């Protein structure tokens, strides 16, 4: 149960992301709550879990919505794994770490996404046109991060997942 | 320990490579996701449906607060639409008010035997006192030099004639320059409808048309209608020019006369180009 718990949370966040959050779009931008959970879990649980969670979330996202497979999986996997490697150097309660990680990863996620679909010639819009949505999404993610962190800490403490060191 | 780390990193690289290959493959062939889609869709769709419906209920209640931005944008769009419709309405009113004019045009079209092109005046030559203008059709529509420009003109109630405007002097792909009969460089041979007496008309610097008859003995009166005679091989026969407004019999061999053209060149906006086979 304890090992599956992050996957369940991530799955729920993905479902909420794809349903409830479609209605709370602000200026047509939807915050990426699954990315928030992925970032938090990766920092807390390390690269092994981070990579696995990234793969899990990416495969879900890709299979649901994109006609071609692997873009989200690749990005989420790299994000999960990379953030996991920082685990030993951060304190679990340090909010600044989460904020900076979310800011960087929100931008990175969108930029890598843009680059891939650009070179696959799926969308060849100018970079300038997507800067506004990227910035908006990052801001929304940062605003949402605080409640998400609170919820996550509460759940982790309730379920009692031990933060293990590898 | 070192070995373990190496294996881990290798695994990461291999997974990344596999995913890149997957992206490339599925983006080209667009296959392979159906099974996965089905499985995950089957699992998630009932849950998603519940959440989606919850979201819809909630969103209906506070949509108005969240979407002030959208409402504002919509307001701007609606305002623009109102302007657009007002403008359209104005144009339609214009058409209603101009129905007389349109009727004249229709009748003239019935009369024209030649192949013709309707065209619009796009610019006038300001230096030449509005006696030359440019129209929006050119060789693309088959217009040549010396093609004749006409316009509908109403003489009396229900009597519409083909009024002569001028001829094409220069032509490009999608434009033609037109010289009117009131231009100083323009001259026409006329015929009096009543008695076939004929003469020459020339444009003047002050936008009037003056001319003379070939013979001093011709019977011509003020108010006589003049049409083109067909001499000179540019203007075809029987295009209406205008009415004589003054006569001057001096001691010379001819009678000087002044003509009021039937077409008001300042009020022209649309003209017809007769494509004449020569």
């Amino acid at each position: 149960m304890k090992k599956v718990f992050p996957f369940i949370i991530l799955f729920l966040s993905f479902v909420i992301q794809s349903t409830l959050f479609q209605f709370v779009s602000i200026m047509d931008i939807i915050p990426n709550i699954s990315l928030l959970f992925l970032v938090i879990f990766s920092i807390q649980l390390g690269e092994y879990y981070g990579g696995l969670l990234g793969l899990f979330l990416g495969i879900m996202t890709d299979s649901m919505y994109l006609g071609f497979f692997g873009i989200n999986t690749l990005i989420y996997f790299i994000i999960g794994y990379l953030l996991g490697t920082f685990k030993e150097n951060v304190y679990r309660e340090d909010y600044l770490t989460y904020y900076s990680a979310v800011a960087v990863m929100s931008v990175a996620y969108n930029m890598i996404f843009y680059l891939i679909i650009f070179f696959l010639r799926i969308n060849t819009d100018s970079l300038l046109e997507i800067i506004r949505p990227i910035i908006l999404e990052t801001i929304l993610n940062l605003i949402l991060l605080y409640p998400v962190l609170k919820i996550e800490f509460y759940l982790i403490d309730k379920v009692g997942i031990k933060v293990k060191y590898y | 320990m070192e070995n373990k780390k190496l294996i881990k990193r290798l695994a990461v690289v291999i997974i990344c490579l596999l995913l890149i290959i997957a992206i490339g493959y599925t983006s080209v062939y667009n296959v392979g996701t159906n099974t996965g889609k089905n499985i995950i869709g089957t699992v998630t769709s009932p849950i998603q449906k519940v959440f989606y419906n919850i979201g819809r209920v909630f969103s209906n209640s506070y949509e108005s607060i969240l979407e002030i931005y959208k409402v504002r944008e919509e307001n701007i769009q609606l305002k623009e639409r109102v302007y657009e419709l007002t403008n359209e309405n104005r144009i339609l009113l214009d058409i209603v008010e101009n129905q007389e004019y349109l009727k004249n045009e229709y009748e003239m079209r019935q009369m024209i035997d030649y192949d013709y092109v309707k065209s619009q005046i796009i610019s006038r030559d300001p230096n030449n006192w509005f006696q030359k203008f440019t129209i929006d059709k050119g060789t693309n529509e088959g217009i040549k030099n010396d093609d004749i420009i006409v316009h509908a003109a109403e003489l009396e109630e229900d009597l519409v004639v083909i009024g002569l405007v001028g001829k094409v002097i220069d032509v490009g792909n999608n434009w033609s320059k037109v010289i009117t009969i009131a231009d100083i460089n323009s001259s026409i041979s006329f015929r009096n409808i009543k008695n076939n007496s004929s003469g020459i008309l020339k444009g003047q610097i002050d936008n009037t048309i003056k001319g003379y008859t070939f013979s001093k003995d011709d019977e011509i009166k003020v108010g006589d209608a003049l049409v083109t005679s067909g001499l000179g091989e540019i203007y075809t026969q029987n295009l209406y020019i205008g009415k004589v407004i003054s006569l001057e019999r001096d001691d010379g061999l001819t009678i000087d006369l002044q003509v009021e053209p039937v077409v008001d060149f300042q009020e022209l906006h649309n003209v017809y180009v007769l494509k004449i086979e020569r």
Side-chain angles (χ1 to χ4, degrees):
Chain A
M1 173 64 194
K2 283 176 186 174
K3 280 191 177 169
V4 195
F5 179 72
F7 290 96
I8 295 170
I9 296 281
L10 213 55
F11 174 72
L12 282 179
S13 78
F14 168 73
V15 173
I16 290 172
Q17 162 84 19
S18 56
T19 55
L20 260 177
F21 270 49
Q22 306 296 319
F23 292 107
V24 295
S25 65
I26 293 166
M27 293 161 131
D28 296 332
I29 307 291
I30 303 155
N32 196 342
I33 193 176
S34 346
L35 181 72
L36 296 185
F37 275 109
L38 177 66
V39 167
I40 296 166
F41 280 133
S42 304
I43 290 177
Q44 287 179 355
L45 302 174
E47 65 230 54
Y48 178 71
Y49 252 100
L52 274 185
L53 287 169
L55 277 181
F56 173 68
L57 177 61
I59 289 170
M60 268 197 306
T61 317
D62 276 340
S63 331
M64 287 295 290
Y65 297 112
L66 275 179
F68 28 84
F69 185 87
I71 298 183
N72 280 300
T73 316
L74 180 67
I75 302 171
Y76 281 138
F77 175 66
I78 293 173
I79 288 177
Y81 181 79
L82 267 185
L83 284 177
T85 57
F86 291 124
K87 179 196 147 196
E88 282 147 39
N89 304 324
V90 297
Y91 294 108
R92 182 179 165 245
E93 304 279 345
D94 185 10
Y95 278 40
L96 190 63
T97 315
Y98 295 112
Y99 271 95
S100 45
V102 163
V104 171
M105 288 309 164
S106 302
V107 175
Y109 170 80
N110 286 301
M111 291 300 279
I112 300 172
F113 203 99
Y114 170 76
L115 277 182
I116 293 175
I117 61 172
F118 183 83
F119 284 114
L120 286 176
R121 294 201 207 156
I122 294 157
N123 173 24
T124 48
D125 283 349
S126 155
L127 186 60
L128 289 173
E129 286 171 41
I130 60 152
I131 275 181
R132 193 191 77 106
I134 289 180
I135 292 172
L136 259 174
E137 197 198 311
T138 309
I139 292 170
L140 287 180
N141 284 349
L142 288 174
I143 293 169
L144 256 185
L145 182 58
Y146 187 75
V148 166
L149 267 176
K150 281 286 171 200
I151 293 166
E152 203 262 358
F153 284 153
Y154 174 78
L155 286 175
I156 291 262
D157 290 341
K158 194 95 178 166
V159 178
I161 290 180
K162 293 263 164 51
V163 180
K164 277 187 269 177
Y165 291 94
Y166 291 94
Chain B
M1 191 66 191
E2 280 298 309
N3 237 352
K4 222 176 176 182
K5 242 180 188 173
L6 196 73
I7 290 169
K8 211 186 256 174
R9 280 185 188 158
L10 209 66
V12 169
V13 171
I14 288 170
I15 289 174
C16 284
L17 279 177
L18 283 176
L19 286 173
I20 290 171
I21 292 168
I23 293 170
Y25 186 79
T26 50
S27 74
V28 174
Y29 298 104
N30 207 8
V31 287
T33 51
N34 284 337
T35 331
K37 239 183 209 168
N38 272 339
I39 294 167
I40 295 176
T42 322
V43 175
T44 51
S45 62
I47 307 168
Q48 283 184 324
K49 197 176 170 187
V50 171
F51 275 101
Y52 197 83
N53 284 331
I54 294 171
R56 213 168 53 192
V57 170
F58 271 106
S59 70
N60 282 339
S61 50
Y62 57 66
E63 207 169 38
S64 51
I65 305 164
L66 279 171
E67 298 193 345
I68 285 173
Y69 174 76
K70 269 188 189 166
V71 168
R72 215 173 273 165
E73 206 165 71
E74 212 172 75
N75 191 17
I76 291 170
Q77 279 173 357
L78 285 174
K79 267 182 193 161
E80 271 171 13
R81 185 94 184 109
V82 167
Y83 287 136
E84 220 170 80
L85 287 174
T86 319
N87 199 25
E88 207 169 280
N89 198 14
R90 194 182 56 72
I91 291 167
L92 287 175
L93 262 180
D94 213 31
I95 291 174
V96 171
E97 281 170 3
N98 279 335
Q99 55 172 325
E100 284 279 303
Y101 158 84
L102 292 171
K103 208 175 79 191
N104 292 351
E105 252 188 10
Y106 172 73
E107 281 184 35
M108 189 193 82
R109 280 190 190 200
Q110 305 288 317
M111 286 192 278
I112 294 176
D113 301 331
Y114 300 100
D115 197 6
Y116 62 88
V117 180
K118 190 180 181 186
S119 71
Q120 197 198 338
I121 295 178
I122 51 173
S123 74
R124 292 173 188 266
D125 199 342
N127 295 328
N128 281 329
W129 300 58
F130 307 119
Q131 287 150 8
K132 281 180 194 158
F133 55 80
T134 314
I135 55 174
D136 64 345
K137 299 277 161 60
T139 47
N140 289 347
E141 313 282 331
I143 294 175
K144 308 178 298 293
N145 270 350
D146 292 343
D147 276 354
I148 297 170
I149 311 291
V150 295
H151 190 262
E154 189 172 21
L155 288 183
E156 301 157 23
E157 196 73 7
D158 293 333
L159 177 58
V160 178
V161 292
I162 306 170
L164 178 62
V165 174
K167 63 170 182 172
V168 175
I169 51 165
D170 199 3
V171 63
N173 275 337
N174 54 358
W175 56 266
S176 313
K177 284 221 166 117
V178 173
I179 186 174
T180 67
I181 52 174
D183 191 275
I184 195 158
N185 294 314
S186 178
S187 61
I188 336 156
S189 71
F190 71 85
R191 178 172 67 85
N192 189 340
I193 289 181
K194 274 186 187 156
N195 52 16
N196 285 347
S197 61
S198 54
I200 299 286
L201 289 175
K202 281 192 163 221
Q204 305 293 320
I205 197 86
D206 54 351
N207 276 353
T208 56
I209 301 172
K210 285 179 179 165
Y212 51 86
T213 55
F214 287 138
S215 158
K216 163 171 102 166
D217 304 327
D218 278 344
E219 275 186 32
I220 190 161
K221 286 200 260 333
V222 171
D224 280 358
L226 306 182
V227 295
T228 52
S229 68
L231 294 172
E233 294 184 352
I234 286 181
Y235 297 108
T236 51
Q237 280 188 35
N238 296 330
L239 300 171
Y240 200 96
I241 299 170
K243 281 182 177 171
V244 178
I245 51 171
S246 72
L247 286 172
E248 204 177 309
R249 293 170 194 272
D250 55 11
D251 298 335
L253 296 167
T254 59
I255 305 168
D256 290 343
L257 52 96
Q258 188 173 351
V259 175
E260 187 193 24
V262 72
V263 180
D264 187 347
F265 300 119
Q266 311 301 326
E267 299 285 312
L268 272 185
H269 299 295
N270 293 303
V271 293
Y272 291 85
V273 186
L274 302 186
K275 294 195 279 189
I276 292 165
E277 301 291 330
R278 294 180 202 277

